């Protein structure tokens, strides 16, 4: 049996803002009762439109965002109730790769110093031991030793993302959260970084949570996919299951925009915009844009229905809409 590295139970993340109409205070319901497992050694992707809550969920998992309620177990221990020492240990095991590699690097520090920093803070290794680790991780990410003595502005976007990946690796993490890791890069460079992530996952037996809106990146990299809509996971399954037999109308719409991946020619145009997470619809949260909406959808959320052991969906019509 595959062991879960992370188990998320009924996670809720909300925050208040006063940017609403007439400056009124409003509560943004960013993550609404998400339960999710991330298996050791897998790449789980979370997909959905901008504003669906996927980045907030990711940031909560790595404790960059506070959760209102729920549980996030990492190796069986809830990170929401960890003490300082446990949290420090967790932060060495869980690292993040950001969308914008330039913003995540200190422009005034040479690359080698940027890579040394987490090792100096979190370990008691000698300087020689630290540099040995850095040289090994730099080589694995395709950086020359010469490159380590330069500054971030001397590199292209792709090279900077390699540096950011090397930085994420120096502490030998078990879990990497990659938030849109290639979307800021030239298309010509994206494939190189995607292949690098795939190689590193194998070399270091890493577990990845991949946040992206790019379904082609998901198809190539992910073992499983969770589809998120207005702070909820509406469908989850193995990548092949999601691409070949999507069940939720929202998943179908997302996939219809990339016909080259599915072979389906007809694009499904969603009605209206994504509702505000400050004002969530009743019932199924997708009902305001769903072409199959029935009366029950407006008042009653759909339960989670199992399609296979690995594939499940939240939709009243889960077994009635053709593939
Ligand atoms: Fe559409 Fe109803 Fe299914 Fe929601 S539950 S996705 S509104 S058919």
């Amino acid at each position: 049996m595959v062991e879960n590295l992370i188990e998320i139970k009924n996670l809720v993340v909300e925050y208040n803002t006063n940017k609403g109409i007439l400056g009124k205070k409003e509560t943004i319901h960013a993550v609404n009762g998400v339960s999710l497992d991330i298996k050791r050694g897998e790449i789980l992707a979370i997909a959905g439109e901008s504003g669906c809550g996927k980045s907030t969920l990711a940031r909560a998992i790595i404790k960059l965002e506070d959760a209102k309620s729920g549980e996030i177990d990492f190796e069986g221990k809830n990170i929401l109730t960890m003490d300082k020492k446990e949290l420090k240990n967790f932060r060495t095991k869980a690292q993040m790769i950001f969308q914008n590699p330039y913003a995540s690097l200190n422009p005034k520090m040479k690359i080698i110093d940027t890579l040394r920093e987490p090792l100096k803070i979190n370990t008691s290794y000698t300087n020689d031991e630290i540099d040995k680790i850095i040289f090994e991780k730099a080589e694995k990410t395709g950086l020359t030793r010469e490159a380590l003595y330069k500054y971030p502005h001397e590199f292209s976007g792709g090279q900077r993302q390699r540096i950011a990946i090397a930085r994420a690796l120096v502490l030998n993490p078990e879990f990497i959260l990659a938030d849109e890791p290639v979307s800021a890069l030239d298309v010509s460079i994206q494939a190189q970084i995607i292949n690098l992530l795939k190689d590193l996952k194998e070399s270091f037996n890493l577990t990845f949570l991949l946040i992206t809106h790019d379904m082609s990146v998901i198809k190539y990299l992910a073992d499983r996919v969770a589809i998120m809509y207005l702070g909820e996971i509406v469908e989850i399954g193995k990548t092949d299951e999601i691409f070949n037999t999507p069940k939720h109308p929202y998943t179908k719409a997302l996939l219809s925009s990339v016909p080259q991946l599915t072979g389906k020619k007809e694009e499904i145009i969603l009605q209206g915009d994504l509702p505000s997470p400050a004002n969530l619809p009743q019932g199924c949260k997708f009902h305001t844009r769903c072409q199959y909406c029935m009366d029950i959808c407006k008042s009653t959320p759909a339960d989670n229905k199992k399609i296979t052991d690995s594939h499940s969906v939240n939709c009243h019509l889960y077994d009635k809409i053709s593939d």
Side-chain angles (χ1 to χ4, degrees), residues 248-249 284 286-287 290 292-294 297 302 314-317 321:
H248 197 283
C284 167
F286 187 59
H287 87 254
C290 181
Y292 305 102
C293 178
M294 308 170 292
C297 305
N314 293 30
C315 175
H316 291 302
L317 287 178
I321 303 171

Side-chain angles (χ1 to χ4, degrees), residues 8 11 13 15 29-31 34 36 45-66 72 96-100 175 177-181 183 209-213 226-233 274:
I8 301 162
L11 189 72
V13 183
Y15 46 92
H29 304 276
V31 177
V34 164
L36 193 65
I46 299 188
E49 286 163 284
S50 168
C52 72
K54 57 188 188 303
S55 286
T56 306
L57 170 63
R59 291 171 66 82
I61 291 171
I62 210 156
K63 204 91 175 50
L64 291 176
E65 195 91 50
D66 285 335
I72 304 169
M96 186 157 182
I97 300 168
F98 296 90
Q99 178 178 4
N100 183 345
F175 174 63
L177 197 166
D179 190 358
E180 301 280 7
S183 61
L209 180 62
L210 173 69
I211 305 296
T212 181
H213 66 280
I227 306 291
M228 199 162 179
Y229 187 81
L230 278 182
E232 294 179 356
I233 304 296
L274 187 73

Side-chain angles (χ1 to χ4, degrees), residues 113-291:
D113 292 323
T114 291
L115 298 181
R116 281 172 179 153
E117 198 178 40
L119 288 157
K120 286 190 171 168
I121 293 170
N122 292 291
T123 74
S124 49
Y125 293 141
T126 64
N127 289 343
D128 284 350
E129 287 168 336
I130 285 176
D131 284 357
K132 193 170 168 241
I133 292 168
I134 289 171
F135 295 148
E136 184 215 341
K137 296 292 161 40
E139 194 185 331
K140 285 278 187 192
T141 49
L143 295 167
T144 62
R145 267 194 208 193
E146 231 178 29
L148 298 176
Y149 297 91
K150 294 182 178 176
Y151 289 90
H153 73 268
E154 297 179 74
F155 295 93
S156 65
Q159 288 293 92
R160 283 181 203 142
Q161 195 57 301
R162 286 178 193 275
I163 295 162
I165 293 169
R167 191 175 197 270
L169 289 177
V170 292
L171 288 171
N172 276 337
E174 292 177 37
F175 174 63
I176 295 212
L177 197 166
D179 190 358
E180 301 280 7
V182 297
S183 61
L185 304 178
D186 285 352
V187 175
S188 57
I189 305 297
Q190 288 185 358
Q192 292 176 19
I193 298 299
I194 289 167
N195 283 325
L196 175 64
L197 293 175
K198 198 165 190 162
D199 291 347
L200 293 172
K201 182 220 159 199
E202 296 304 327
S203 300
F204 297 112
N205 195 24
L206 294 165
T207 303
F208 270 90
L209 180 62
L210 173 69
I211 305 296
T212 181
H213 66 280
D214 188 334
M215 299 307 281
S216 57
V217 172
I218 289 176
K219 181 144 197 206
Y220 184 69
L221 266 185
D223 299 297
R224 287 193 304 142
V225 190
I227 306 291
M228 199 162 179
Y229 187 81
L230 278 182
E232 294 179 356
I233 304 296
V234 295
E235 184 163 7
I236 186 165
K238 290 182 182 165
T239 304
D240 282 351
E241 291 172 323
I242 296 295
F243 278 81
N244 297 337
T245 54
K247 295 295 176 193
H248 197 283
Y250 181 59
T251 312
K252 287 171 188 275
L254 279 187
L255 289 171
S256 78
S257 63
V258 279
Q260 67 276 22
L261 298 179
T262 59
K264 302 225 164 103
K265 293 208 172 73
E266 199 188 334
E267 182 168 0
I268 301 166
I269 308 289
L270 290 176
Q271 302 160 20
D273 295 327
L274 187 73
S276 164
N279 195 10
L280 295 175
Q282 295 290 305
C284 167
K285 294 192 173 47
F286 187 59
H287 87 254
T288 57
R289 302 169 83 192
C290 181
Q291 60 178 313

